């Protein structure tokens, strides 16, 4: 049916807010809530109300796409808060399938960054209406005009059409809840943004001749209602207790009955008897449902196109903890429970692919990036799981009989003084500089094309080289022929040769050998990595060695044992550090690095 024969539901607007990490997206959504009258004037509201997970609040990033709604006049605006990190691209792709337009939020100093590019490319491919908001114009280093030019350059680079280039533009101070149409005026509220959404984002279109069709774009779970299927009504309308059908990947309709029909009212749900076309609804009572399924009528079942996401680029092996300390710190240690948890995660995260091993009880998890994997492992350890994970491995493709690998477009923002060391290190990892921009402020922006495997284990080295002041972001550019082998880690490991406790005397004498990972009193076992060796080989050490006492008095008193402070081993640092013959042991209380083969006499020399 042609576009001319479609109808528009003008009472609803479905939008996604997209931005790079830390460009003020979640704070802006807070003020959209407040100014739309969602909260009472005396109601106590937490900051960053859309960051519902503990990890999101701790890290200040959005990990999972979430829905909410506000009212502006007679128009209901459904808002999707999307992640700003390319590793969570699966969240972005299923979220953009529910909306008709996006608000692109860009920092007035940093400008559009790689993760912005990733999400914007998806929005342009979906032909969504776009409103650009340049945020944080009150920054002392704000450069809104230059940033606007960079946004235009980005649109052109992504092959935007002339209509897409003619986007509405607003300036904002999201922290103060202010939006304005020009730099000269001084805004007082977000009313200009609300008005722009209603004016420039089209209402959802639907075919009045078609029966009810809903695409499942998200899943949730309620202790009272069971599995919740969340998605947009593309055609027709749904009623409570109506007999519906689900069409999965097989293409065969299966009858089901919906027990409750709800819509978003702010950040919570509101039960309704009927949902209009274009509305984002929550259906409860459907036990067997997956993201990408179509919910439709039993009388006229018709499937919608399934959600398609980019292929995974890395894989990581998950196994049960087999160290001598297994079962001491975690509640959930059985291999089957780890498998069940990972398969459950794949139901909610369309970007993850789970593959059970036929040889052992391990599970291979395929995903977008090591950061996505680290978030998954961190979530599991907080739930009480105890497990080990291997080094992230790149997924290669064979194209025309030739081995191809994923290539990242890497953007670095750093002081001028670090250009030399960064260029040298990235060249070793097969990185090629493609652009350098100097804003004249003492900081430069470097752009490289580098194999994805070249970035595994590089982030901590990068922070050391830039003394913690560098910013590094990347997105997947595509696949290119294999670039050749290179050494990713120049240091070896200090490996404990027996079980016991780390002793200060032993640590003191091992400090010249490298950087220690353990503190005095920490339990260790044979095969556990206790430090990073200065040289490129592994070294078995006795970290439990105590000072031998004699009955001969020394002429001078013993020297005090002064130990260098140990930086706690984080999950990301451990995953980046390990080699192919090492694993990260993760428990609710500890993160340890170990050799895959624990006994020293069985490890290859």
């Amino acid at each position: 049916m042609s576009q001319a024969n479609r109808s528009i539901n003008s009472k609803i607007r479905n939008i996604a807010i997209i931005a790079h990490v830390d460009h003020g997206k979640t704070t802006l959504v807070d003020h959209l809530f407040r100014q739309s009258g969602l909260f009472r004037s005396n109601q106590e509201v937490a900051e960053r109300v859309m960051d519902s997970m503990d990890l999101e609040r701790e890290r200040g990033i959005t990990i999972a796409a979430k829905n909410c709604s506000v009212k502006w006049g007679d128009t209901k605006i459904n808002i999707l808060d999307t992640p700003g990190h390319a590793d969570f691209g699966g969240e972005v792709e299923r979220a953009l399938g529910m909306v008709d337009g996006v608000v692109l939020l860009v920092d007035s100093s940093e400008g559009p960054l790689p993760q912005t590019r990733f999400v914007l490319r998806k929005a342009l491919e979906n032909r969504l209406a776009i409103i650009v908001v340049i945020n944080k114009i009150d920054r002392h280093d704000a450069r809104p005009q230059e940033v606007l030019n960079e946004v235009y350059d980005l649109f052109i680079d992504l092959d935007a059409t002339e209509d897409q280039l003619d986007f509405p533009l607003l300036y904002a101070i999201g922290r103060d809840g202010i939006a304005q149409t020009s730099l000269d005026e001084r805004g007082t509220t977000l009313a200009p943004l609300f008005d722009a959404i209603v004016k420039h984002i089209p209402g959802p279109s639907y075919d009045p001749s078609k029966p009810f069709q809903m695409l499942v774009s998200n899943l949730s779970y309620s202790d009272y209602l069971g599995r919740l299927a969340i998605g947009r009504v593309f055609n027709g309308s749904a009623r409570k207790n109506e007999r519906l059908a689900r069409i999965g990947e097989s293409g065969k309709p299966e009858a089901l009955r919906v027990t409750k029909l709800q819509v978003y009212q702010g950040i919570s749900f509101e039960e309704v008897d009927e949902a209009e076309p274009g509305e984002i609804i929550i259906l409860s009572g459907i036990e067997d449902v997956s993201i990408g399924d179509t919910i439709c009528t039993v009388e006229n079942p018709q499937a919608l196109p399934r959600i398609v996401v980019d292929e995974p680029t890395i894989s990581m092996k998950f196994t049960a903890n087999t160290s001598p300390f297994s079962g001491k710190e975690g509640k959930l240690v059985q291999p089957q429970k780890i498998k069940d948890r990972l398969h459950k995660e794949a139901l909610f995260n369309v970007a993850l692919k789970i593959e059970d091993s036929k040889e052992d009880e391990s599970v291979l998890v395929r995903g977008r990036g090591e950061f996505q994997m680290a978030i998954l492992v961190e979530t599991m350890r907080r739930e009480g799981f105890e497990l080990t994970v291997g080094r992230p491995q790149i997924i290669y493709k064979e194209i025309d009989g030739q081995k191809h690998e994923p290539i990242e477009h890497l953007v670095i923002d750093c002081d001028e003084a670090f250009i030399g060391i960064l260029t040298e290190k990235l060249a070793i990892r097969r990185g090629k500089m493609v652009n350098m921009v100097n804003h004249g402020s003492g900081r430069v922006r470097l752009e490289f094309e580098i194999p994805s495997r070249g970035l595994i284990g590089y982030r901590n080295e990068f922070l050391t080289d830039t003394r913690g002041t560098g910013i590094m972001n990347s997105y997947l550019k595509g696949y290119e022929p294999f670039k050749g082998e290179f050494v990713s880690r120049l240091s070896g490991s200090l490996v404990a040769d027996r079980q016991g406790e780390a002793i200060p005397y032993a640590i003191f004498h091992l400090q010249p050998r490298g950087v220690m990972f353990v503190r005095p009193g920490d339990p260790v076992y044979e095969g556990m990595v206790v430090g990073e060796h200065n040289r490129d080989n592994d070294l078995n050490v006795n970290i439990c060695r105590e000072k031998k006492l004699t009955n001969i008095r020394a002429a001078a008193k013993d020297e005090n044992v002064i130990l260098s402070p140990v930086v706690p081993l984080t999950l990301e640092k451990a995953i980046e550090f390990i080699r192919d013959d090492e694993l990260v042991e993760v428990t609710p209380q500890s993160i340890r690095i170990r050799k895959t083969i624990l006994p020293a006499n069985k490890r290859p020399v």
Side-chain angles (χ1 to χ4, degrees), residues 417-426 458 465-466:
F418 306 127
I419 294 174
I421 184 70
L422 295 180
T423 308
E424 181 187 338
K425 290 280 183 75
L426 290 169
Y458 176 64
D465 290 341
T466 61

Side-chain angles (χ1 to χ4, degrees), residues 318-323 333-335 338 361-362 386-388 594:
F318 285 62
T319 56
N321 186 13
T322 56
S323 82
V333 296
Q334 300 90 337
I338 294 170
E361 293 188 310
S362 65
E386 198 174 287
L387 66 155
T388 56
R594 51 162 283 187

Side-chain angles (χ1 to χ4, degrees), residues 164-198:
Q164 289 171 328
L165 278 168
D166 189 22
F167 50 75
L169 174 66
L170 293 170
Y171 300 93
I173 306 173
R175 185 183 55 193
D176 298 338
I178 293 170
Q180 53 202 54
T181 53
S182 71
L183 286 169
D184 303 327
E185 66 178 87
R186 176 64 177 172
T188 53
T189 67
L190 288 174
L193 178 56
F194 279 115
D195 293 338
I197 290 169
V198 174

Side-chain angles (χ1 to χ4, degrees), residues 408-410 412 423 426 432-434 446-450:
E408 303 277 336
H409 187 92
L410 174 68
I412 288 173
T423 308
L426 290 169
K432 180 178 71 175
M433 187 188 289
V434 293
L446 309 174
E447 296 185 31
F448 292 83
E449 287 180 2
I450 183 171

Side-chain angles (χ1 to χ4, degrees), residues 321-330 386 499-500 522-525 528 585 587 592:
N321 186 13
T322 56
S323 82
F325 298 160
S326 174
K328 290 186 176 180
E329 297 176 355
E386 198 174 287
Q499 189 165 332
D522 285 352
V524 298
Y525 54 82
M528 179 174 155
E585 178 187 344
T587 76
R592 305 182 184 96

Side-chain angles (χ1 to χ4, degrees), residues 57-115:
R57 290 192 170 277
E58 287 171 21
R59 294 167 182 259
I61 61 170
T62 302
I63 293 170
K66 293 174 287 295
N67 304 51
C68 62
S69 75
V70 297
K71 288 279 282 187
W72 186 249
D74 297 328
T75 307
K76 180 180 183 181
I77 303 173
N78 286 313
I79 301 172
L80 275 80
D81 187 12
T82 61
H85 199 289
D87 276 19
F88 308 110
E91 300 285 318
V92 172
E93 281 153 332
R94 63 180 173 78
L96 293 184
M98 286 193 274
V99 301
D100 301 290
V102 299
V103 174
L104 173 63
L105 202 63
V106 182
D107 189 290
S108 65
S109 172
E110 295 179 6
L113 289 173
Q115 316 296 351

Side-chain angles (χ1 to χ4, degrees), residues 229-296:
I230 301 165
R232 171 177 165 173
V233 180
F234 277 83
N235 296 303
S237 57
R239 293 173 187 82
K240 191 168 64 171
N241 296 325
E242 192 173 10
R243 288 180 63 246
L244 299 173
R246 177 188 72 88
I247 303 177
E249 281 189 275
S250 65
K252 294 179 182 177
E254 298 175 14
L256 53 90
R257 183 176 291 278
V258 175
T259 57
K260 212 168 204 181
L261 173 63
Q262 299 174 102
V263 297
Y264 282 96
Q265 179 66 38
I267 52 174
S268 54
F269 302 151
E270 177 187 42
E271 190 172 356
V272 292
D273 294 326
E274 184 176 358
E276 302 174 344
E279 180 66 275
I280 294 174
I281 63 173
I282 305 99
L283 301 178
S284 51
I286 309 172
E287 282 310 308
D288 186 18
V289 63
S290 302
I291 290 174
D293 290 356
T294 299
I295 308 294
C296 51

